[in-house]
Amino acid sequence: MDMPAAAMKRLVLESLGWLLVVAGVAALVLPGPGLLMIFGGIALLAPHYDWAERRLDPIRLRALRGAAEGVETWPRIVLSLLAALWVIGLGVVWMLQPAAPGWWPVAERWWLFGGAWTGLTLVLSGILALVLIGYSYRRFHGRPAAVADLEHELADAVEDLKHDAERHRERRHPHAGND
């Protein structure tokens, strides 16, 4: 029994969407572009789920606000660039797999675990961060009107999301507030 191409495509896109959301949540605390991955996952899920479609714009706008804040001042820009270069450097070290140093307190197998693939993802994350810093700088640095427009757009999207949630709650529980 073969699966139709449309169903296969939907299965692949939904699986990839969920994978990106889970990896993005993990990347919020681990090295990597967490919010960007969550946005990508939600974007893949949005055509199939109403809840994802409703959250897509607020997530995109929050990511852009974070990008704008990251290039607000020169110290932030410099720290962001140094952090991205640090992640790239760690990735290179991970890919080279040097022997564990003498001060390493646990079994050597736990030194730089994950191997070259971990290093590659770190390097790619750092490169992506550099690209995003450049994009953010060009779009937002020294442009208060662009930041103000973004804040206004985000406030509108959050308000729309609240109204959608209220309408959804009323549809599910039509008599809840009529006591």
Side-chain angles (χ1 to χ4, degrees):
M1 185 161 108
D2 290 326
M3 184 180 279
M8 180 60 84
K9 180 180 177 183
R10 179 179 174 149
L11 178 66
V12 168
L13 290 176
E14 282 189 54
S15 298
L16 182 58
W18 283 111
L19 179 68
L20 281 170
V21 168
V22 170
V25 169
L28 290 174
V29 294
L30 300 170
L35 203 50
L36 184 64
M37 291 188 332
I38 292 171
F39 174 72
I42 296 291
L44 288 174
L45 294 172
H48 309 289
Y49 298 99
D50 288 339
W51 64 265
E53 185 177 353
R54 287 190 306 272
R55 285 163 179 80
L56 189 59
D57 211 34
I59 290 172
R60 177 186 67 82
L61 294 168
R62 282 190 177 102
L64 287 172
R65 182 176 63 187
E69 289 171 353
V71 296
E72 237 171 21
T73 64
W74 280 106
R76 285 185 182 182
I77 294 168
V78 169
L79 285 174
S80 296
L81 289 171
L82 289 174
L85 293 172
W86 176 257
V87 169
I88 291 171
L90 284 176
V92 169
V93 169
W94 233 274
M95 290 190 315
L96 295 175
Q97 287 288 302
W103 55 264
W104 183 248
V106 294
E108 190 170 330
R109 70 174 182 221
W110 293 106
W111 173 252
L112 302 177
F113 63 92
W117 286 109
T118 300
L120 180 62
T121 60
L122 287 170
V123 168
L124 292 175
S125 292
I127 291 169
L128 180 59
L130 290 174
V131 168
L132 291 173
I133 292 165
Y135 167 80
S136 301
Y137 182 83
R138 289 182 54 135
R139 181 163 179 191
F140 297 114
H141 184 76
R143 296 191 172 152
V147 175
D149 288 346
L150 176 63
E151 287 295 337
H152 180 71
E153 201 176 341
L154 178 58
D156 288 347
V158 168
E159 194 62 32
D160 289 346
L161 190 59
K162 285 180 186 177
H163 289 302
D164 285 346
E166 285 176 25
R167 283 193 297 272
H168 180 69
R169 216 175 5 261
E170 288 171 4
R171 278 195 306 262
R172 290 183 66 204
H173 306 288
H175 305 292
N178 299 335
D179 294 331

